[in-house]
Amino acid sequence: MSTLTEWAYPLAESLLAEPLPRRWKHCLGVAERARTIALILDQDADLLEAAAVLHDIGYAPDLAKTGFHPLDGARYLRDVAAADEQVVNLVAHHSCSWLEADARGLRAELDGEFPRESEHLNDALCYCDMNTTPDGTPTNPVDRINEITGRYGPDSLIGKFIRRAEPEILACTCRVLERVAAAKRQPM
């Protein structure tokens, strides 16, 4: 039986590895983070890992239509790749994208086309993304937010969005770490 990850990795690689090798490394690192929290995901572990490796495909030059990568990636997954609906929705709403959509005037499109998945899954993907550097190595959300602000500039749309999203990103991380700790305390 084919898994979502068996389908997702080659697709993400085909879209990112050559034109955006650093972005591809980041996506691989985010997927690796997803594997580290599989114990809190049960049957959704494969789903989250697939969304993790695909979450930034909207940056691919052939897919970038609006310039808002969560929307561009989700539309491609839905319209071209015929992806699993939950994967599509997770990509659309990853890492507090609704706040960036607000800043871009795209919130109605994002929410109208793609419903949000459960908090549990959205938290998990945000945790994985915000605990991974652009080069795919582990980090923490505070350093990641500072890196994004530094890369784009504090007065840029992205710099302002990420600072606005910071409390929710930190809350997502706390909720995931609390679930991981609780799962580790459970008897086998």
Side-chain angles (χ1 to χ4, degrees):
M1 183 169 135
S2 181
T3 64
L4 284 173
T5 52
E6 289 172 337
W7 167 83
Y9 275 87
L11 177 61
E13 182 178 21
S14 72
L15 294 167
L16 295 173
E18 190 175 312
L20 301 169
R22 190 173 190 214
R23 185 71 57 185
W24 173 233
K25 286 181 184 175
H26 169 71
C27 289
L28 288 172
V30 174
E32 185 178 328
R33 295 297 86 62
R35 289 190 299 277
T36 70
I37 61 168
L39 73 154
I40 66 166
L41 299 168
D42 298 319
Q43 72 275 8
D44 290 328
D46 188 57
L47 168 69
L48 183 72
E49 187 176 345
V53 79
L54 291 164
H55 81 283
D56 274 353
I57 64 166
Y59 282 113
D62 292 342
L63 276 58
K65 306 294 184 219
T66 67
F68 179 47
H69 77 278
L71 187 59
D72 292 336
R75 284 177 171 166
Y76 174 84
L77 289 170
R78 178 193 64 199
D79 299 341
V80 178
D84 176 275
E85 185 177 356
Q86 286 185 288
V87 170
V88 173
N89 294 337
L90 285 167
V91 168
H93 289 283
H94 77 271
S95 302
C96 305
S97 69
W98 58 92
L99 293 172
E100 185 179 344
D102 273 343
R104 293 179 178 274
L106 295 169
R107 178 75 181 263
E109 285 182 61
L110 181 69
D111 290 343
E113 291 182 47
F114 305 103
R116 277 196 222 171
E117 291 298 323
S118 69
E119 179 181 78
H120 176 71
L121 289 171
N122 278 312
D123 281 358
L125 185 54
C126 182
Y127 167 85
C128 295
D129 188 18
M130 292 294 124
N131 281 276
T132 305
T133 69
D135 295 313
T137 60
T139 190
N140 64 73
V142 172
D143 288 347
R144 177 82 163 112
I145 290 164
N146 288 336
E147 181 277 322
I148 292 168
T149 304
R151 184 166 22 119
Y152 288 94
D155 295 325
S156 69
L157 184 142
I158 301 298
K160 290 176 182 176
F161 144 70
I162 203 69
R163 287 296 177 196
R164 186 172 163 221
E166 185 171 14
E168 181 58 22
I169 291 167
L170 296 176
C172 287
T173 295
C174 286
R175 289 189 294 263
V176 169
L177 292 175
E178 287 168 2
R179 287 193 290 267
V180 168
K184 287 181 177 180
R185 287 191 301 267
Q186 296 297 317
M188 294 287 188

